[in-house]
Structures are given as C-alpha cells and as structure tokens.
Amino acid sequence: QQPVQSPQAVILREGEDAVINCSSSKALYSVHWYRQKHGEAPVFLMILLKGGEQKGHEKISASFNEKKQQSSLYLTASQLSYSGTYFCGTEEEDSNYQLIWGAGTKLIIKP
Amino acid sequence: DGGITQSPKYLFRKEGQNVTLSCEQNLNHDAMYWYRQDPGQGLRLIYYSQIVNDFQKGDIAEGYSVSREKKESFPLTVTSAQKNPTAFYLCASSIRGFNQPQHFGDGTRLSIL
C-alpha cells in the first residue's frame, strides 16, 4: 500500500525550514528519500534504517519512527537548489526488495 | 563514470505499434527496475528483475514486456495492448537486497502520434 506523504506542496522563502512527512500502514525495513527536479530523474538523498542508522546527504536530515512507521525529512535553511519534488519510498518487510513510492511533495523555494 | 543510460530520450508511437525502450547500466548491479511516471504523479513499478534471466511483474505490467538476458541490460517493450502509453519511463538499478539506494537513468518520454 502506498505510503502517504504530507504536505502535498509547500512554498518557502530562501532560508526557511520545511518538514516533509511519510507515513505507512505496514511494518518497514527502511525508508528512502529522493528528490526529483522537473523533467529529470529522481536523485537519492537518504536511507533510514530500522535501528536508527542513516545513510545519505550531509545537509538534509531525517528521522524514522519504526513503531509508528513514519519518517520525516527536515530541510533547514533552505536554498534555491532544494526546489523539486520529494518522494519517499518504503521497504516493507515482505516486499521482495521493492520500494513502494509515495505520491510526492512539491517544494518551491522563492528568493 | 558508472551510470545508467536510457535511450531514446523521446519516443513517438503510432497506433498498433510496439516500441522498445533501452536501459543499460555499468554499475555491476544485479537488480533493475522499470517505472512509469504520469504528470504530477509518483512512480509506479512496471517490472523488476533481481537477477539475469528472471523478472517479476510490478503493479502495472499489463501491456508491457521485458527481458533480462544480460546483467547490464533490461529493455522494456511497450506493446500495442497498452492503450495509454504516454508517460515518462524511468529505469533504475541497485545492488540486490534491502536498504540499497536505487540509481536512475535520465528517462524516456513516450508520446502517441
């Protein structure tokens, strides 16, 4: 079942912070975060693993609450380059290594 | 540099025609995936392959076919049975197993003539 992302869209001024949420109804092995700019391929940002380990981006942080099957992506002091659509992908415990993708959160950063 | 190459970048299909989208990777990844993305939407899995000569249907496999004869290559054929093929198609690859990031090609944009 598709994870639910919120909000669907957010508009910020440069330098402001944003939080994007991803919520699943299934038990998860991990949550992946990707950013896609218009007309381009998604780019990997971060993986959050069961047990608290994180792998990924230096300037973007995230959390993973395993009990609630929820992850949040924190974008602090946003830059114009952060604009794009953010997708979470969840690995469920019985998923045969597939990622189940959320519908995306569109982030617009204004100068 | 290692990466994934998709070709062509733009493709036009006539009524009743099958078309094949190419995906080649030199990352030595076992797992490869095909996704469809419609405007303003997320990624939907068409087919995936965890190993050569083996592949599984994703959520929207009807009207599509794939082959995996070589580790590096995972071509996708959009058949005439796919009545609404206009979309952005993305190929990805990863190391096989859990907790592995997927690496994407630049995509192929398919339209109906």
Side-chain angles (χ1 to χ4, degrees):
Chain A
Q1 190 169 353
Q2 186 181 40
V4 176
Q5 282 188 239
S6 63
Q8 286 186 313
V10 59
I11 301 174
L12 297 176
R13 292 267 175 215
E14 208 173 355
E16 292 181 339
D17 302 338
V19 180
I20 299 172
N21 301 301
C22 175
S23 180
S24 174
S25 59
K26 299 283 190 86
L28 302 176
Y29 262 128
S30 66
V31 179
H32 299 218
W33 286 97
Y34 292 75
R35 177 172 60 217
Q36 184 179 32
K37 294 194 179 274
H38 184 69
E40 298 180 7
V43 173
F44 168 71
L45 295 175
M46 174 169 287
I47 291 179
L48 297 123
L49 310 180
K50 220 170 156 176
E53 185 183 349
Q54 296 184 23
K55 301 190 218 179
H57 207 278
E58 292 176 359
K59 295 186 179 180
I60 295 174
S61 63
S63 64
F64 177 27
N65 186 323
E66 295 164 39
K67 285 185 181 177
K68 292 184 178 179
Q69 291 105 242
Q70 290 176 349
S71 177
S72 295
L73 187 71
Y74 306 99
L75 302 160
T76 55
S78 56
Q79 305 168 18
L80 293 174
S81 61
Y82 287 5
S83 291
T85 300
Y86 289 76
F87 292 98
C88 69
T90 55
E91 280 184 296
E92 297 171 2
E93 290 185 348
D94 58 354
S95 67
N96 194 22
Y97 312 139
Q98 288 181 61
L99 280 182
I100 314 297
W101 296 86
T105 295
K106 188 167 186 176
L107 179 65
I108 298 170
I109 312 285
K110 294 189 172 181
Chain B
D1 278 342
I4 300 181
T5 302
Q6 286 188 243
S7 61
K9 190 163 181 157
Y10 299 95
L11 187 58
F12 297 92
R13 196 192 86 169
K14 293 180 184 177
E15 204 69 44
Q17 188 181 40
N18 293 351
V19 291
T20 297
L21 284 59
S22 170
C23 178
E24 303 276 332
Q25 55 99 359
N26 61 3
L27 297 166
N28 200 32
H29 286 165
D30 283 310
M32 296 187 76
Y33 311 83
W34 274 107
Y35 293 99
R36 170 179 172 141
Q37 187 175 34
D38 291 288
Q41 303 296 313
L43 304 177
R44 292 188 290 167
L45 184 65
I46 306 172
Y47 270 98
Y48 64 105
S49 168
Q50 296 290 338
I51 200 163
V52 174
N53 293 322
D54 188 43
F55 49 83
Q56 285 78 41
K57 292 183 180 180
D59 299 322
I60 56 165
E62 189 174 344
Y64 300 97
S65 66
V66 292
S67 62
R68 186 85 188 276
E69 296 174 2
K70 296 187 298 182
K71 188 175 183 177
E72 307 79 39
S73 178
F74 192 38
L76 174 74
T77 297
V78 184
T79 74
S80 57
Q82 173 47 248
K83 297 305 178 192
N84 182 23
T86 297
F88 188 44
Y89 290 87
L90 286 158
C91 178
S93 72
S94 73
I95 295 170
R96 189 181 179 200
F98 284 109
N99 309 328
Q100 301 299 332
Q102 292 187 12
H103 302 263
F104 286 83
D106 288 335
T108 293
R109 203 165 291 280
L110 176 61
S111 303
I112 297 261
L113 271 181

